[in-house]
Amino acid sequence: MSTREPGDECRLAAAALQRFPAEVAILDVDGEIVSTNLAWRAFAEANGYRGDVEMVGVNYLDVCDAAAAADGDAAVAATGLRAVFAGRRDGFDFEYPCHSPDERRWFLMRAVPFTVDGGRYVLVSHLNVTERKLAELDVRERTTQLEGIATLLSEDVQRELSTALGRAVLLNRELGTARSIDLEGSLHRVNALLTDALALLTGEDVDLVSVDLEASAKAAWRKVDTLDATLTVDATGVLAADVGLLGRLFQHLFECALVLGGTDVHVSVGTNGDGLHVEFDREQAVSTTVDGRSTADCVESNVAVASRIAEVHGWTLTTDADGTVRYEVSGVEWRT
């Protein structure tokens, strides 16, 4: 068992601070830097700082003030730091861009006050958050793209489809042939698909009605090319759901069963407390491609759509794939 000498904790803390991966500086009550760590000095050197990279004695507030005229972020940082120094704030966090000529970068500045032997100091750290920021920007860009697609579908495509559907209805009334009936039916199905797709894209409230679990599952099964596969619905019940979207959720999970369980897979649908499940045995050796796509990609895309359908209903879809594959949907409202 090791014994500690007086001052060991201070030396340990100082050594840890030096090796801390974020850039750290300690400021006194006047804003002067009294200590910096290795990461701070390495960053200063790598970015062409002219002077002693330790920067001890440099007034951090003066640096911010000097840059404030041309950089609004520097002004925000100086204001926040002064509030911490004055005791008006217990801490200050500020995210800002710090791009180099060949790299986009963002940092999170965090200022925390502390006292040592009656002296008041502020620890300032700069953490590189570029990876997280780029991910946020990517999500924002994709969201904007999806909103554009949703607008296109809801305005242009839906308008043209409504026109075509109206003409097909009139044509079918005049002709009443098998082809005109099939055409009208196909356009009605496309319109239903478009309505469901818009609900998934926009996340708007779905049209909840009372849906029979067994009837929905069996109807979805008939729409999938099941080959020699079989289905058992082990429970009955009525749940609040969008009838079209619930059917498509079943279809996507059934597609997963055919990919992972093989053409003669047996699929069971049942209930569990506040939800339902789709379960089947995984085949030991499954095809590595499905219609030119890998098995993993096929399953992932089907589960992604099923998860989105669950999400717009306020449900949660989880997967347990330990030998027996089980997709569980929780948060379902059962109706009597």
Side-chain angles (χ1 to χ4, degrees):
M1 182 176 180
S2 62
T3 58
R4 292 183 178 178
E5 298 294 332
D8 282 354
E9 289 186 0
C10 291
R11 287 191 291 271
L12 181 63
L17 182 64
Q18 286 300 312
R19 294 295 178 179
F20 193 68
E23 295 91 58
V24 175
I26 298 175
L27 315 183
D28 65 15
V29 290
D30 296 319
E32 286 191 0
I33 297 175
V34 298
S35 179
T36 56
N37 71 344
L38 290 173
W40 182 286
R41 298 193 288 272
F43 184 84
E45 185 174 2
N47 287 270
Y49 178 74
R50 296 179 180 179
D52 184 355
V53 292
E54 290 193 7
M55 299 177 69
V56 172
V58 174
N59 192 292
Y60 193 83
L61 289 175
D62 288 346
V63 173
C64 291
D65 290 339
D71 185 356
D73 289 335
V76 173
T79 300
L81 283 171
R82 284 193 167 90
V84 173
F85 281 119
R88 296 192 301 272
R89 301 185 61 157
D90 294 330
F92 174 67
D93 291 349
F94 178 56
E95 185 175 293
Y96 63 96
C98 182
H99 306 319
S100 68
D102 56 355
E103 183 183 10
R104 299 173 72 198
R105 303 178 304 195
W106 285 265
F107 288 83
L108 173 65
M109 185 185 83
R110 176 163 292 170
V112 180
F114 65 99
T115 58
V116 174
D117 297 331
R120 183 175 173 85
Y121 300 89
V122 173
L123 184 146
V124 175
S125 64
H126 294 262
L127 179 65
N128 192 320
V129 294
T130 300
E131 185 175 347
R132 188 259 296 163
K133 187 67 177 182
L134 289 175
E136 289 179 356
L137 292 175
D138 183 60
V139 170
R140 190 178 305 168
E141 181 180 354
R142 290 177 182 273
T143 300
T144 301
Q145 291 173 348
L146 288 176
E147 289 174 348
I149 294 171
T151 300
L152 173 67
L153 291 175
S154 63
E155 295 180 1
D156 298 337
V157 176
Q158 203 163 47
R159 181 175 58 250
E160 294 297 325
L161 180 59
S162 295
T163 300
L165 183 56
R167 291 173 179 171
V169 170
L170 293 175
L171 181 64
N172 190 33
R173 288 176 182 174
E174 292 178 6
L175 302 179
T177 64
R179 288 186 176 181
S180 65
I181 292 172
D182 288 344
L183 175 62
E184 182 182 342
S186 294
L187 288 175
H188 276 297
R189 288 190 292 275
V190 171
N191 188 51
L193 284 169
L194 179 59
T195 300
D196 291 346
L198 284 170
L200 297 181
L201 276 172
T202 61
E204 295 178 353
D205 292 339
V206 293
D207 184 17
L208 297 181
V209 296
S210 295
V211 183
D212 183 271
L213 171 68
E214 183 177 14
S216 180
K218 289 183 176 180
W221 185 257
R222 290 191 293 269
K223 294 179 181 179
V224 177
D225 187 5
T226 55
L227 301 174
D228 295 324
T230 54
L231 171 71
T232 299
V233 182
D234 297 323
T236 59
V238 175
L239 66 155
D242 182 291
V243 63
L245 289 178
L246 178 61
R248 296 193 213 294
L249 181 144
F250 279 127
Q251 288 179 52
H252 285 289
L253 297 184
F254 292 159
E255 291 284 358
C256 293
L258 292 167
V259 172
L260 297 175
T263 57
D264 59 350
V265 65
H266 177 71
V267 181
S268 65
V269 175
T271 59
N272 44 286
D274 70 340
L276 58 93
H277 63 262
V278 174
E279 188 175 66
F280 56 90
D281 288 331
R282 183 177 186 135
E283 193 178 44
Q284 292 300 315
V286 296
S287 173
T288 56
T289 59
V290 178
D291 295 331
R293 294 190 299 163
S294 71
T295 297
D297 286 345
C298 184
V299 170
E300 183 179 357
S301 61
N302 277 291
V303 171
V305 176
S307 295
R308 179 58 179 159
I309 293 173
E311 182 182 352
V312 297
H313 281 85
W315 306 337
T316 301
L317 175 66
T318 57
T319 305
D320 183 357
D322 185 15
T324 298
V325 180
R326 183 182 177 99
Y327 296 109
E328 290 198 5
V329 178
S330 58
V332 172
E333 176 194 343
W334 294 105
R335 294 179 173 177
T336 56

